[in-house]
Amino acid sequence: MKRRVLALATAGVTVAGAAAIYALVDRSDDSPTIPANANAFNCNTFQIPAPAGATVESLTATAVPAGTFQVPGNPPLGGYPVPDVPAHCEVTVTLTHPGANDHAKLQIWLPESGWNGRFQAVGGAAYAAGNIGSVATAIKQGYATGTTDAGVDTTGLDSSWALNSSGQINTALLENFASRSVHELAVVGKQVVNEVYGHAASYTYWNGCSTGGRQGYMEATKYPTDFDGINADAPAINWNQFEVATLWPQVVMKEAHTYPTACEFNAFNQAAVKACDPQDGVADGLISDPGRCNFDPRSLIGTKVVCDGKERTISEADAEVVRKIWDGPRDGNGRRLWYGLPIGADFSNLTASTTGPDGVTVGSPFPVPAQWVATFVEKQPAFNTANLTYAQFDQIFQQARSEFDSIIGTADPNLSAFRDAGGKIITWQGDADQLIPTAGTIDYRNRVDALMGGTAKVDDFYRVFLAPGVAHCALTGSNDLTALTEWVEHGQAPDVLRADLTTATGQTVARDICRLPFVSRYNGDGDPTSAASFRCVAPSS
């Protein structure tokens, strides 16, 4: 049976005091053929069968004129306008599951004219399962599109829904957030498209970043026939490992009684870029292969830096803190638990601290992993993750995996059912991702290769692209969704993605993003800001 299409553009969260969301919607102008009856547009309320295990509580269909859509809520997922939204039909479906007392709201928007024949769903960021702002952006690109709130908080930074009135995990809402609601979005979205247009979408795609990336991988493994193509970027897979691991910098600083300033952390990154940038053949402010960067932070011991007008001297303790953060968490026997902050990635989100009037400095853990540990693992929302010891960290890491891997871990490398259904996956991630260690995504891809016949065979349906110098969900100018549709609809697998990169000096440069395991290498001459001056080569070349 022909599979249909759903494309999701979503957001990733970066926090420097507050989070910033990047809308990641792209456009393919080569639209599929739309049937002759495509002008049949029905925006009257109708009925649809409920997905298996669910009940439809309500369904409304409303015709909305063209105009500016003000995204409700506050930043990062709301509080901004989306101009020039076309006239469309807004279908709102609320689902519940017997005995769960949940109310998951799905919103499906369908353009009155100019539909490109595809259905695009938008996913979430942090603890939000979806983002209505990205729906408004996607419909401007000609897609029928939708999202779900999974019945949980929509701000992305509030996980208080996790516990029920007895202080135990709300298993129904966690299941919604982990996997169920996105599958139901796929099922309901396809039904709504058929009702409104009188025929099915030609293709279905998923396109998401961060939590949205995790949702895409969960779909590929658990519901492999939902989507023809999945664009899952900077994916929050290996959920329990990376969530707990991103508290490691706080543990290291607390145990060392050493809290370097942001200025001092930046000095280490600047030195690392200076040392490793030329390895790709040109000093252009980008580390093209962080895996080969062996910069030793101890080389800065004794270096003086000026921070806020005050001269500071990099100490041995500062260098050891940085070394451990880059190395990543290890257990009491020195065994690696997970990967560390990539060299060159911004330290500020994971190493934030505050100094009180008494001169005492304490850590300020990043809210997403802090809430995961406090609310989900410890089941004590007031639990202070700034005071974890190495032993506590080790225990929590193991407990999180034991309790939640089977529900939300998203680490299963078996993509055979998705491959056999004809699906394609594209993932890009920044080499300088400061929130989700890039090495974890590489590890996942390597495990897929090992299980499914090696790199060449896996590349037939799944490709990963690593972007030098790019932070979490921050790739701009990318043709990722266009590349995915070309692959799904025309069999043209992408060897590179095209994007704009920002160098360490703030300059914007065009670059072809190489697919794993290849890395970018300067040709030896030509303009370093031009993509034509670089080629993709094997890492050892």
Side-chain angles (χ1 to χ4, degrees):
M1 185 175 74
K2 181 176 174 61
R3 304 173 69 233
R4 305 296 177 190
V5 134
L6 178 47
L8 182 181
T10 187
V13 175
T14 61
V15 172
I21 292 297
Y22 300 88
L24 302 168
V25 181
D26 202 350
R27 165 77 178 185
S28 173
D29 292 323
D30 185 13
S31 300
T33 301
I34 299 176
N37 65 341
N39 290 328
F41 187 78
N42 171 33
C43 195
N44 298 312
T45 297
F46 47 84
Q47 292 184 341
I48 59 173
T55 299
V56 176
E57 284 192 312
S58 64
L59 185 154
T60 61
T62 305
V64 179
T68 295
F69 176 68
Q70 181 66 31
V71 182
N74 299 308
L77 293 184
Y80 61 92
V82 180
D84 303 319
V85 175
H88 60 280
C89 182
E90 284 187 15
V91 178
T92 302
V93 181
T94 302
L95 301 177
T96 189
H97 302 87
N101 193 32
D102 62 338
H103 310 281
K105 184 169 72 173
L106 289 69
Q107 296 191 60
I108 315 295
W109 293 16
L110 308 98
E112 185 176 325
S113 62
W115 180 41
N116 65 15
R118 306 180 180 99
F119 180 62
Q120 176 186 129
V122 288
Y127 293 112
N131 180 7
I132 195 64
S134 292
V135 169
T137 303
I139 201 171
K140 293 174 61 175
Q141 313 300 329
Y143 293 93
T145 176
T147 195
T148 176
D149 70 4
V152 304
D153 174 77
T154 59
T155 68
L157 298 178
D158 181 359
S159 62
S160 58
W161 53 265
L163 301 179
N164 60 27
S165 58
S166 300
Q168 300 301 309
I169 294 295
N170 189 320
T171 55
L173 290 184
L174 180 57
E175 183 182 354
N176 284 357
F177 177 69
S179 60
R180 180 164 60 187
S181 286
V182 169
H183 170 61
E184 292 174 343
L185 172 61
V187 172
V188 171
K190 294 173 187 179
Q191 293 171 340
V192 169
V193 165
N194 197 64
E195 290 288 339
V196 172
Y197 292 121
H199 62 88
S202 298
Y203 297 95
T204 59
Y205 294 92
W206 178 269
N207 175 22
C209 196
S210 195
T211 285
R214 184 198 63 77
Q215 290 167 318
Y217 277 90
M218 182 68 83
E219 279 288 300
T221 53
K222 195 168 184 178
Y223 303 104
T225 61
D226 277 355
F227 301 104
D228 297 294
I230 291 175
N231 193 34
D233 304 323
I237 54 175
N238 309 297
W239 178 272
N240 291 294
Q241 293 100 313
F242 96 81
E243 285 290 10
V244 181
T246 46
L247 290 176
W248 176 252
Q250 294 287 329
V251 179
V252 169
M253 293 188 300
K254 185 264 179 187
E255 290 281 71
H257 306 289
T258 300
Y259 293 85
T261 64
C263 173
E264 290 168 305
F265 277 122
N266 287 339
F268 285 98
N269 261 343
Q270 291 166 3
V273 170
K274 183 178 180 180
C276 298
D277 174 10
Q279 291 178 344
D280 62 4
V282 63
D284 60 351
L286 293 168
I287 301 177
S288 292
D289 186 6
R292 293 179 58 221
C293 182
N294 295 318
F295 174 74
D296 187 346
R298 291 172 296 186
S299 65
L300 281 194
I301 294 174
T303 300
K304 298 184 184 300
V305 295
V306 177
C307 302
D308 297 325
K310 298 180 181 179
E311 186 176 80
R312 296 177 179 271
T313 301
I314 299 295
S315 68
E316 183 175 353
D318 294 331
E320 182 62 7
V321 163
V322 170
R323 186 194 70 78
K324 286 187 174 182
I325 290 173
W326 280 342
D327 180 59
R330 294 181 180 271
D331 67 14
N333 296 315
R335 292 182 295 239
R336 179 178 300 283
L337 294 174
W338 201 239
Y339 302 96
L341 187 72
I343 292 179
D346 181 46
F347 284 91
S348 61
N349 293 131
L350 304 188
T351 62
S353 62
T354 58
T355 301
D358 57 0
V360 175
T361 301
V362 295
S364 298
F366 186 66
V368 178
Q371 289 182 36
W372 180 253
V373 167
T375 305
F376 288 84
V377 182
E378 294 294 322
K379 300 167 185 63
Q380 302 174 47
F383 183 83
N384 188 355
T385 55
N387 295 324
L388 294 178
T389 65
Y390 286 129
Q392 286 175 310
F393 178 90
D394 192 1
Q395 185 271 326
I396 287 171
F397 188 93
Q398 304 302 337
Q399 181 181 339
R401 295 207 60 188
S402 175
E403 187 171 356
F404 296 107
D405 264 6
S406 63
I407 304 169
I408 196 173
T410 325
D412 183 359
N414 188 354
L415 300 174
S416 58
F418 183 76
R419 175 203 61 197
D420 294 346
K424 310 295 183 188
I425 304 177
I426 284 178
T427 285
W428 62 253
Q429 185 165 2
D431 272 329
D433 193 318
Q434 76 280 31
L435 299 181
I436 298 177
T438 310
T441 301
I442 297 172
D443 175 88
Y444 178 86
R445 170 57 203 247
N446 289 340
R447 289 190 290 115
V448 174
D449 287 355
L451 181 69
M452 299 186 62
T455 299
K457 289 186 177 180
V458 173
D459 273 350
D460 284 343
F461 74 97
Y462 169 34
R463 297 190 174 197
V464 174
F465 300 82
L466 301 183
V470 171
H472 186 63
C473 291
L475 189 63
T476 60
S478 172
N479 67 331
D480 52 354
L481 186 53
T482 301
L484 183 60
T485 57
E486 286 295 309
W487 195 6
V488 168
E489 298 172 24
H490 303 293
Q492 298 176 7
D495 283 325
V496 297
L497 297 180
R498 292 179 173 81
D500 298 323
L501 304 184
T502 302
T503 71
T505 60
Q507 183 182 20
T508 299
V509 297
R511 191 65 59 85
D512 287 343
I513 310 304
C514 302
R515 64 182 170 94
L516 197 69
F518 300 103
V519 296
S520 183
R521 186 68 51 82
Y522 183 57
N523 287 332
D525 56 28
D527 182 0
T529 67
S530 170
S533 299
F534 293 80
R535 67 188 190 280
C536 294
V537 302
S540 58
S541 299

